[in-house]
Amino acid sequence: MKQITLRIKLIALALLCTATAVIGPGGRMIASGEEEPPAAEEREAMPATGEWTKQAENDTMALWLFHAGNLLNFAVEDKATGTWLTASPFLSPEEASALGSDRQKSQLTLTYNDTTSVEKTMTSFKHCVSKSQYTVYPLEDGFTIEYVVGAPKDLRLLPQLLTQETMEEKILPKLDERQQKRIRQYYKLNRLEDLTGEVKKQWLETYPALAERDLYILSSINTKTKNELEKYFVAAEYTLDEMKEEYELLHYVPEDASDPSFIVPVDVRLTTQGLSVTLDAAGVTYDSSRYHLYKVSMLEFFHAAGESANGFLLLPDGSGSQVFFGHRSDEYERTELAQTGTVYGRNVADPKDSGNKLYYSYPVFGSVADGSGYFAIIRSRAANAEISAELAGLTHPYNIAFSTCAFSARAQAHSDDPLNPIWNLYEKQPSTEPYEVLYVPLIGDAATVYGMADVYRDYLIEQGMKPLDHGAAPTYTAELMGTMDSAGSILFIPTTVKTALSTFEDGQTVMQAFRQAGIASLGLRLTGWCNGGYTNKPLRGLSVSSQMGGSKALKALNEAAAAAGYRLYPDADFFLFDETGWFDGYSAGSDALRTVEGKKVQLTENSPASYKERYALSWYTVNAARAKDNADHFFDEMYDLGLHGVSLSSIGQYNAPTYATHAVQYPADAARSFASIAAGFDGAVMADGYNAYLYPYVRALTDVPVSDSGMNNFGESVPFLQAVLRGYVDMTAEPINHAQDPETAWLHAVEYGIGSSVQLAMRNVEKMRESNELSAYYAADAAYWLDRSVAQFVRSQEVLQPLAGARIVGHERIQPNVYRTDYDNGKSVYVNYTRQTVTAEGTQIPAQGYATAATPEPAPEPEPAPEPEPAPEPEPEPVPVTEPVQGGDEP
């Protein structure tokens, strides 16, 4: 620990002594030794108008900008209805002044660390826009905003210190006698030998160049004198550039330049789909020797819905989570929610990520309020993203969802130094990939969860997702367990031997049982079938399990599957494996994932039974680039066996960057490498995880969730993911024999319109008790589960087969524990989880069962009560007429 503390102190001293920041164009700060960044594209800045101006438009939308010096906002308009969706919740200066916090008027929130590792935040309004420290440049389809967040004070032409040579050879000779006298009055020549004790120590810390040369140092003076002396340096033709060079030479950071300054360019463009907002990471500039930009939250209050609004947020939690605003009904209590989830799963290269967070597998979110809203897709750098949601009432009066991009990975070292107990380590070269979010406006009938599903499906089709050739007929998955390690003996010597839990011939028995029952579509997944079985070595070459029957029996099983119209999916995990040895093609030094500190990554998993970390179950990791190379070799050997189906196991479950010096892969790079494994296989691909980068390339997904995570008690689960992928990806839920209540698990799959699955071990089941890894799957005994799973699959096929090719367009809880799922072919499926028969919407639904019926017509909107006819105007009373008086007599 003492060594760590000493190292930290040395690093801190080096930073203080060598980090010289200079001020570049527009106030941007550049670390010493770096080249000044190139000038921005030559575009004339847009003048502030103080009113909303249209910047771009197409057939359906228009992009507007409000640019008024110390106020900035923009909006996308739906031209058909005139609905505006604003970046911040104000349309006028009066509305802006009424907002309760700077955050609500900001488009960006920056989180950064200083050299003491203290985490701080700044907002684009308080630290930029309110000071008019931004510039707007026009684009053909929008504009660029260059935010200068937390800009430092302007440097004066008044050096704090100068070398003796500069003062006596460049400055004083150009001044008259009076000016020279005034300069010498306030600039004193300091020599190290003239200093002693504590003063000497303090001056060396402030002016380290004193150890090498004599310096003229400015005394403490008032503003009037500063203004006077500055004129003398101008008269001497001394420049700011020369002063900066002097500072750099003397390793001096001026006090005025010590505040953080971040230049953050954001492109705002109108596309045919909606509003594209891109943070140009390559253009972000700051003094990286003194500060580390950790993450940026973007458009936190985009189309923010107020406390009284009626609507919901959509979060990509599990199958989808619909979070209702405030009081939806008597059944939903008002919830104050602040929740954040990480995109693409556990980051296994981050020591702080223990797997106990909330994880999202697809990078989308949305909001609808009073019939209008948006759906957001993180289109680039999603693997660096978090998605957050906040309901009104916790810290502000708005219901919001937004995304945050991590700009650099960091790790933390601990020390016993009370002044610096935590020391942050960062990526040496953070990724410069842009961060783009697309906001698609949704108005009227499209402003629903299933309108959002339509948008995301169309987006994935553009990315290459293709429809299934069987028209979304229900597909089921049976996993056949292969070879495990068990206790045995050779020549009476105790040892570990390979034991088959199933053989390839057993696979034909399983398929025959499903085929005879009339199951039309089945995926047979083989696990533990090669390279050592469940205790496997890295997958580069291919060695088929002899205990299961060898290559010949595997080919026969593959042919039988094709003849039955089924698909065989042998499992291959290119990311994780159990053991390594000589000549297996694996080098931990070059192949394993590395943390920011450079440590090799091994992955441990929580026990399904105890939820405690099982340290005995530790997997080796393979970086994504190496995994792709291994997969290419492995696939070639699969093709030689006639295998054109593969299950890719864990590559859709984890976020797997690596920070090895020789092979850096940022999170987005790792996701692309994993996706390229699926894209590069010649045949049908199944995945055991459902991260979105796989969707365009897989035919089947297993363990697809049929609920949200349940980590928070709010809103309700919805089949958003099923609505997106149905008809394009075969989806099956978790194995029914893994569930606490298999009947309920099967009903969930029916409710969400997807197939079920089962895990089967055909023999030697008692041996699994001996295995740390497989003891949790003792319920896979085919003697019990094969016939039961066949019967359940037949029942669900009865209800799902007529829905082949239909899309989910609605889902509703119509009674406690009774749900209805609507399809675009006019049919609905009712599922009853209660233990008694119920009748709902005229349909009788058996206890713990289902029923189908035509989708009920929506209740007509109540006609407004007729306005009462106005009462007739009363007739005016006649005015009495007085007879004129004749002859002047009095009346």
Side-chain angles (χ1 to χ4, degrees):
M1 185 60 70
K2 290 181 179 178
Q3 291 178 339
I4 293 175
T5 304
L6 178 60
R7 188 180 307 130
I8 289 171
K9 289 180 177 177
L10 289 173
I11 293 172
L13 180 61
L15 284 172
L16 290 172
C17 292
T18 62
T20 301
V22 297
I23 309 299
R28 65 187 69 207
M29 297 184 71
I30 307 143
S32 174
E34 296 180 5
E35 293 185 5
E36 189 170 293
E41 183 181 348
E42 291 298 330
R43 291 176 288 174
E44 186 176 348
M46 295 170 55
T49 62
E51 59 185 22
W52 285 96
T53 57
K54 187 184 295 184
Q55 300 299 315
E57 68 177 317
N58 55 34
D59 292 341
T60 59
M61 290 171 285
L63 175 61
W64 294 83
L65 172 68
F66 186 87
H67 179 198
N70 63 350
L71 282 180
L72 176 67
N73 203 356
F74 54 87
V76 61
E77 177 196 8
D78 176 71
K79 293 166 67 174
T81 63
T83 303
W84 282 39
L85 281 67
T86 58
S88 300
F90 70 85
L91 289 171
S92 67
E94 292 75 21
E95 289 175 310
S97 65
L99 292 178
S101 74
D102 299 323
R103 182 181 169 214
Q104 295 163 29
K105 290 176 275 193
S106 297
Q107 290 87 47
L108 304 175
T109 298
L110 280 61
T111 302
Y112 67 96
N113 292 90
D114 60 20
T115 53
T116 64
S117 298
V118 175
E119 186 172 287
K120 301 178 180 179
T121 61
M122 292 194 293
T123 64
S124 61
F125 177 77
K126 179 178 180 179
H127 300 93
C128 172
V129 174
S130 66
K131 303 175 182 179
S132 300
Q133 296 174 172
Y134 68 93
T135 308
V136 183
Y137 299 98
L139 295 171
E140 183 177 349
D141 50 1
F143 45 86
T144 297
I145 305 171
E146 187 177 76
Y147 298 88
V148 183
V149 183
K153 303 169 187 176
D154 293 334
L155 277 182
R156 307 187 62 151
L157 187 58
L158 186 66
Q160 177 63 32
L161 71 168
L162 290 165
T163 64
Q164 185 176 6
E165 294 79 11
T166 298
M167 177 66 84
E168 296 178 358
E169 296 175 10
K170 293 184 178 181
I171 305 298
L172 295 178
K174 297 180 181 180
L175 301 177
D176 60 32
E177 186 176 348
R178 190 188 68 83
Q179 292 170 337
Q180 290 183 25
K181 183 177 179 180
R182 293 290 286 172
I183 287 283
R184 289 184 183 278
Q185 184 177 350
Y186 298 105
Y187 280 90
K188 303 299 182 182
L189 183 61
N190 291 267
R191 297 181 175 89
L192 187 62
E193 57 266 27
D194 297 335
L195 303 174
T196 59
E198 201 60 36
V199 173
K200 181 177 180 180
K201 179 181 177 182
Q202 182 179 351
W203 278 58
L204 277 175
E205 289 179 356
T206 308
Y207 310 110
L210 263 176
E212 302 174 359
R213 63 183 72 207
D214 300 338
L215 299 176
Y216 278 93
I217 299 176
L218 178 64
S219 305
S220 178
I221 56 177
N222 58 34
T223 302
K224 181 179 179 181
T225 307
K226 287 181 180 179
N227 295 337
E228 177 193 352
L229 295 184
E230 187 172 17
K231 294 177 183 179
Y232 300 154
F233 284 99
V234 173
E237 299 179 341
Y238 189 64
T239 67
L240 275 173
D241 287 338
E242 289 176 306
M243 187 178 74
K244 295 175 205 172
E245 291 173 5
E246 193 93 347
Y247 283 172
E248 186 170 356
L249 173 69
L250 301 177
H251 305 299
Y252 174 69
V253 179
E255 182 180 353
D256 284 349
S258 63
D259 294 333
S261 175
F262 300 91
I263 313 299
V264 185
V266 176
D267 292 338
V268 182
R269 299 176 183 269
L270 189 66
T271 72
T272 55
Q273 294 99 343
L275 183 69
S276 169
V277 182
T278 304
L279 199 160
D280 178 14
V284 173
T285 309
Y286 62 96
D287 180 7
S288 59
S289 69
R290 298 179 60 81
Y291 304 98
H292 296 279
L293 181 59
Y294 178 41
K295 59 186 179 181
V296 178
S297 298
M298 191 160 67
L299 299 195
E300 294 177 74
F301 287 82
F302 183 78
H303 196 57
E307 288 180 294
S308 62
N310 179 28
F312 64 87
L313 304 176
L314 175 74
L315 298 179
D317 182 4
S319 63
S321 187
Q322 188 175 14
V323 184
F324 296 101
F325 301 164
H327 291 280
R328 179 177 180 247
S329 69
D330 292 339
E331 300 170 12
Y332 289 88
E333 294 183 0
R334 183 179 180 84
T335 305
E336 293 183 347
L337 166 74
Q339 171 181 304
T340 297
T342 302
V343 176
Y344 291 160
R346 177 181 175 186
N347 184 343
V348 295
D350 181 356
K352 303 189 301 299
D353 193 344
S354 61
N356 296 322
K357 297 181 180 179
L358 180 61
Y359 299 107
Y360 296 147
S361 288
Y362 41 106
V364 305
F365 57 94
S367 175
V368 167
D370 299 325
S372 69
Y374 68 89
F375 179 66
I377 305 171
I378 304 173
R379 297 212 294 191
S380 65
R381 208 161 171 162
N384 292 79
E386 295 176 337
I387 296 171
S388 302
E390 298 175 11
L391 290 186
L394 187 60
T395 58
H396 52 75
Y398 291 100
N399 301 282
I400 59 174
F402 60 93
S403 65
T404 299
C405 178
F407 267 74
S408 62
R410 72 178 182 187
Q412 292 182 331
H414 296 266
S415 77
D416 55 5
D417 184 347
L419 297 178
N420 291 290
I422 297 176
W423 188 259
N424 287 328
L425 300 173
Y426 299 88
E427 297 173 69
K428 293 181 178 179
Q429 295 179 328
S431 172
T432 57
E433 182 174 351
Y435 183 62
E436 181 189 6
V437 181
L438 175 69
Y439 298 85
V440 180
L442 301 172
I443 310 296
D445 293 342
T448 67
V449 166
Y450 306 97
M452 295 179 183
D454 291 341
V455 172
Y456 194 33
R457 185 188 313 109
D458 291 344
Y459 171 78
L460 292 171
I461 291 170
E462 290 180 3
Q463 303 303 304
M465 188 172 74
K466 296 178 175 58
L468 296 167
D469 53 17
H470 57 70
T475 295
Y476 304 89
T477 300
E479 178 186 329
L480 194 68
M481 300 184 72
T483 306
M484 63 168 286
D485 286 355
S486 65
S489 63
I490 298 177
L491 298 176
F492 304 104
I493 300 174
T495 188
T496 299
V497 298
K498 301 292 182 183
T499 300
L501 298 172
S502 308
T503 66
F504 297 127
E505 188 174 345
D506 289 333
Q508 296 201 42
T509 301
V510 170
M511 291 193 301
Q512 184 178 7
F514 283 100
R515 190 65 182 167
Q516 288 177 346
I519 299 299
S521 182
L522 180 75
L524 183 63
R525 183 180 182 221
L526 304 179
T527 55
W529 65 282
C530 70
N531 291 43
Y534 284 107
T535 308
N536 67 303
K537 293 182 177 180
L539 301 185
R540 186 172 176 87
L542 171 56
S543 175
V544 179
S545 169
S546 58
Q547 292 77 18
M548 294 181 69
S551 299
K552 184 176 180 180
L554 175 59
K555 289 180 180 179
L557 176 60
N558 190 38
E559 292 169 358
Y566 293 164
R567 290 187 180 273
L568 191 66
Y569 292 103
D571 188 67
D573 194 332
F574 297 105
F575 175 48
L576 302 175
F577 65 97
D578 289 89
E579 64 178 23
T580 184
W582 295 102
F583 311 114
D584 61 5
Y586 180 77
S587 169
S590 59
D591 296 350
L593 294 186
R594 296 273 182 165
T595 65
V596 176
E597 308 100 301
K599 296 179 180 178
K600 290 176 287 190
V601 175
Q602 286 186 261
L603 182 66
T604 54
E605 187 182 76
N606 292 334
S607 165
S610 67
Y611 294 99
K612 294 180 180 178
E613 198 169 55
R614 299 179 294 172
Y615 290 96
L617 286 179
S618 181
W619 286 270
Y620 294 93
T621 59
V622 183
N623 68 64
R626 180 64 167 175
K628 175 65 169 68
D629 184 54
N630 288 350
D632 292 340
H633 288 83
F634 192 86
F635 290 161
D636 286 341
E637 297 196 34
M638 289 186 70
Y639 303 149
D640 291 341
L641 292 172
L643 301 174
H644 288 274
V646 68
S647 165
L648 292 179
S649 196
S650 65
I651 70 167
Q653 298 177 23
Y654 298 102
N655 195 334
T658 185
Y659 303 104
T661 304
H662 60 280
V664 174
Q665 269 206 318
Y666 300 112
D669 299 327
R672 281 188 286 267
S673 290
F674 279 166
S676 69
I677 292 175
F681 183 73
D682 181 16
V685 177
M686 171 185 281
D688 197 25
Y690 56 101
N691 282 348
Y693 50 74
L694 294 179
Y695 297 166
Y697 312 111
V698 297
R699 179 188 176 91
L701 292 174
T702 63
D703 277 354
V704 174
V706 288
S707 69
D708 61 23
S709 65
M711 292 183 69
N712 288 283
N713 184 25
F714 60 85
E716 62 183 30
S717 303
V718 290
F720 172 81
L721 186 62
Q722 288 78 3
V724 172
L725 298 181
R726 203 168 190 275
Y728 292 83
V729 178
D730 284 327
M731 293 174 284
T732 52
E734 70 166 336
I736 54 176
N737 48 343
H738 286 188
Q740 291 182 340
D741 183 347
E743 190 73 10
T744 299
W746 165 75
L747 273 177
H748 275 312
V750 172
E751 179 192 348
Y752 278 53
I754 64 175
S756 300
S757 65
V758 65
Q759 185 184 50
L760 300 171
M762 303 293 286
R763 58 188 71 221
N764 296 317
V765 176
E766 70 283 353
K767 294 285 187 181
M768 282 195 282
R769 296 177 182 174
E770 304 171 8
S771 168
N772 286 337
E773 183 174 359
L774 299 179
S775 59
Y777 304 109
Y778 186 69
D781 189 354
Y784 182 86
W785 279 107
L786 179 57
D787 291 342
R788 283 171 172 78
S789 62
V790 167
Q792 281 194 334
F793 292 2
V794 168
R795 290 169 63 199
S796 58
Q797 183 171 262
E798 291 173 356
V799 64
L800 296 179
Q801 186 69 43
L803 302 172
R807 294 180 180 175
I808 295 175
V809 294
H811 178 266
E812 187 176 352
R813 183 175 68 160
I814 54 177
Q815 291 183 16
N817 294 313
V818 180
Y819 294 82
R820 187 191 76 235
T821 306
D822 303 327
Y823 293 82
D824 66 355
N825 63 356
K827 296 181 180 179
S828 292
V829 175
Y830 294 83
V831 171
N832 174 17
Y833 292 97
T834 71
R835 295 186 179 275
Q836 58 186 12
T837 299
V838 300
T839 299
E841 299 178 334
T843 299
Q844 190 177 70
I845 315 159
Q848 292 191 301
Y850 61 85
T852 58
T855 302
E857 292 290 331
E861 292 288 335
E863 294 186 6
E867 294 185 7
E869 293 186 8
E873 293 286 337
E875 297 259 347
E877 295 189 12
V879 178
V881 178
T882 303
E883 292 291 330
V885 179
Q886 304 266 332
D889 293 340
E890 296 205 12

